[in-house]
Amino acid sequence: MEHVPPPAEELARLDRELAELDARRAQLLTRRAWLLAALRPTVPTAAPGWNPSGWGAPPGTPAQPWGQVPKRPSAPRGAQNVLLTLGGLLLTVAAIAFTLVSWGSMGIGGRSAVLAAVTLGALAAPAVLLRRGLAATAEALAALALVLTLLDVYAVHAVAAPDTDGLGFTALASAVLAALWTAYGLALGKLRLPLPATVVLAQWPLLFWAWAVGAPAPVVGWALLATAVLDGAIALWGKGAGVRVTACVGGAVMGFSALMVGLALSLTAPGPLGAVAPGVLLLTASAAAVAGAWRAPKGFARTGGAVAGLAAVAAVGGVPAAALPAGWRVLAYLLCGLALTAVVRSRLPGHAARGVLAASGAVVVGALVWALPPLAAVLLGPVTVLSDVWAGTPDGFRSALGSTLPWSELAAAPVVLALVAGLLGAAYRWWPSVVRLAAPLAGPTTADAGPPAAPAAGAPGTDAPGAAGGAAPWPGWTGWSGRPGAGAGGRGRPSAATLRGVVGAGAVALGWGALLLAGALLDVPHALALAGKTALVGVLLALAVRGGGAERGATAMPVTALVASVAGAVSAGLLSLASEGASYAVFGALAALFAGAALRAGAGVPRAVFAVAAVVWGTVITGLAGRSLGLAPHEAAPLMLLVPALTVLLGARLRRNPVALPVELTGALGALVAVGLAVSDAPFLALVLALCGVLAAGTAVRPERRPVAGYLAATLFVLATWVRLAASEVSFPEAYTLPVTVPALLVGAARRRRDPEASSWTAYGPGLAATLLPSLAVAWTDPDWLRPLLLGTAALVITLLGARHRLQALLLLGGTVLALVGLHELAPYVVQVAGALPRWLPPALAGLLLLVVGATYEQRLRDARRLKDALGRMR
């Protein structure tokens, strides 16, 4: 007996009814909560310990909905604040409109009486309201009083003193208002608005006074700096968070403006004496920032230290920079920035000292960024040689770069790089001394929290009964000394070995760049530039090879040397393409250097990179040989296969060595380049494909390469055959392919007889493809009916044999060829029918098909899975 209605339908209906009940219950609970809130003074509370839930909550206790908390009505205080805010805004708008519009229609007495009465009333009302506990109303009226005082000032200037200077009057008025509102805010300490408003008003007296008297730019800078110092004092000792935040914002704006004025004056000074006055301004700003950083919290202390350091560099460096040519001024600022590192021996608090060190680093980074454009020109400039290879030896290094940079203004660039590289190299050499000097700043200071305490005995996560005896505070703890549990550090901080490696890497990269830039600026001869670049590549390779066994965490320097050596080799190779002899000399030297580095390096990524680079340089040499012999690109293609052939032999020698696979893949890329060169000529393309097939077959002799190389060799041979037949304009390829297909199928059948588990693709795939695919390509261009008929019949027989004997290769190859032949035969009729159909019908049919497939998606998916499984079970 069946259910009426069916169980699924009944279950869905029950779910809908339960959802409606939940929604209705939530509405009732929300209404009940609102009623309870409205009657709260008269409704008794629930008994202690009672946890109301569900429908049975006692009267007076709001029940909780299932998994939800009823929305509480908005508090009366919130509504009151909204009303007060709107009222204050309306009063302010009315006061502004009265002052601007109706002021002129009243006499002097009426004006004074109205403004005085309204302003005094607005100022006095907050005191009365505060005594009655109406703080929000008092704040609203205080805001109105603030606006009224500003309007009073405007009115006084417009009526009583219309001829006075507006800037001077504004300066005096803002100072008076700041003093009055300071007293008012201190008198009514519960108001939060007057004192922050006083800070805002205090920003303008000095600045407007300087503008009013037409003071020069240095005086404006001093006015901005004095205002910033006042803001800093308020931020440190001000009352209330609002006052301090407002002072911080004002001090940041005014201080930044003062620094920009001083920096602009220093940069545009006509000489050293002219740079002294802005330097004094910048030094004063630096001293003020240090004084603030001495007492400020952690984040502000670091910011203050950074600002102080940058201001000091601009002040001190600006004086000698004004006496130097334009290309050397950066050196003066760099030296001053490096001098800031002496802060490690000062008594400045830790966070402020770190800020000063950050400023020093920022100056160094800025100088290095200034030197990057000429270095990039030296490295990337030789790319222009590719447009005219072997055009002749240039006159000098610069002429080969094709750059239009003003080299005379960049004379200090190599000096900057060399100076920073030397300092980093010295730090790398005497690293323990650097660590000892920086230890006070690296570890916890009196203002910092120390590292986490060692876990107690028996605490979870410890390996020993206790952490005494110098044990590491947590696993992986490494201090500045690089030993676990030593020095200051913390989770996420790099170890000493890592930091030393980074320092060494910077020294290597910058020293290499300095030498390259020196050659460009001196405009050395082309041959000397090539020799120098190649020698630098050798030095970098030596560093990379020596660093291959570096301790863990100190790998930055060898990695940098490796990257720089490859980049330098590419740049030197491009530069050598200006002349034939230089090209052979440079690429031959590069190939020898990288091959030697691959032999000397230990196992790992660097060795593979060296070997791959050596193969690339060898491939370039073979290309250059083809050009020297006057060969066309397609004629030089077989010559390009020399290096891939050598990589096949080398791979057979290395076998399972980790370097073997990268070397062979690089050789395969060289073979792909040869194929690309031969594409323009079909006979040479067939030759190159056949030679590549021979190389792949030679690789397939090795068992570890056979699964990939074997199929690749068969594909290449088939492609070579097709290309050769097409180049010979053969119209009956079966005469050439069937003699290959029949023996191949016989060999495949013999293998299947010996090994029934052998794949049908291995046994029959190459033989069938050798005939079916060329015949299919010809059939698609054959207007006659005989070839498609014979090919379709053969494909049908092969497909049936594959289905009968469960052979995947026969089924798929035969089915694919049969489908394509049928499509070729039906294509004209399909086009004719499509032209006769209405334009709307094809999209409609496509949409209907998509709907059907979507509706039966699960069934189609199961059918596809069954088909996949059936094909997978075939051999």
Side-chain angles (χ1 to χ4, degrees), residues 58 418 458 541 766 818:
L541 288 175
L818 181 61

Side-chain angles (χ1 to χ4, degrees), residues 497-524:
T498 302
L499 292 176
R500 187 181 186 188
V502 171
V503 169
V508 169
L510 296 178
W512 169 62
L515 292 175
L516 292 179
L517 268 180
L521 287 167
L522 295 175
D523 198 15
V524 298

